[in-house]
Amino acid sequence: MTAADFKKIALSLQGTEEGSHMGAVDFRVDGRIFATLAHQDLGYGNLMLTPELQAELVKERPDIFLPIAGGWGRMGSTHIRLKQADAATLRRALQIAWELRVQKNDASKKRPKRAKGK
């Protein structure tokens, strides 16, 4: 797979828009990032996951998935090695990241707003 494949699949997910964060292409749903191509020059796509989902994917396919270095990786941000991934694996991974973002967005909409200064 390539960065172009990553982009095509990401944009096929309902409500996804392409944006830019710190000079890198990102993919958002309801304005929130679920994936980026911040490391495409190294052959990676990036997925915003939970640490638990990251651990599952890395355990299942350590040849394809690895945590991003540092704090972002400890919070679940995950590289996908594009050349090693097939279309089904890439689609599944992007779908997982998209679904997680949609769930988080829905949960934040249901929380009561706090008054300023409280």
Side-chain angles (χ1 to χ4, degrees):
M1 300 274 74
T2 66
D5 296 321
F6 186 98
K7 179 178 179 174
K8 181 178 179 181
I9 294 170
L11 290 172
S12 75
L13 300 170
Q14 183 178 351
T16 297
E17 296 178 343
E18 183 177 334
S20 178
H21 180 72
M22 297 177 62
V25 174
D26 66 40
F27 304 94
R28 302 166 184 248
V29 61
D30 288 332
R32 304 296 305 268
I33 297 171
F34 69 91
T36 77
L37 284 169
H39 297 101
Q40 69 179 347
D41 57 325
L42 300 174
Y44 299 132
N46 302 318
L47 308 164
M48 306 306 131
L49 305 173
T50 63
E52 296 79 17
L53 286 169
Q54 178 191 75
E56 286 178 35
L57 290 176
V58 170
K59 182 179 179 185
E60 184 180 304
R61 294 297 307 264
D63 57 319
I64 296 176
F65 299 101
L66 70 153
I68 290 176
W72 283 103
R74 287 190 296 277
M75 292 187 300
S77 294
T78 306
H79 286 310
I80 180 169
R81 291 179 178 103
L82 296 172
K83 283 187 180 180
Q84 284 76 15
D86 57 53
T89 301
L90 179 56
R91 177 169 294 284
R92 178 176 166 251
L94 282 164
Q95 183 77 37
I96 290 168
W98 179 89
E99 287 175 3
L100 179 62
R101 182 74 264 163
V102 168
Q103 289 170 2
K104 286 182 179 181
N105 289 350
D106 287 348
S108 69
K109 289 175 188 174
K110 291 177 184 173
R111 276 189 240 130
K113 300 277 188 216
R114 290 178 33 175
K116 287 188 178 185
K118 298 203 178 196

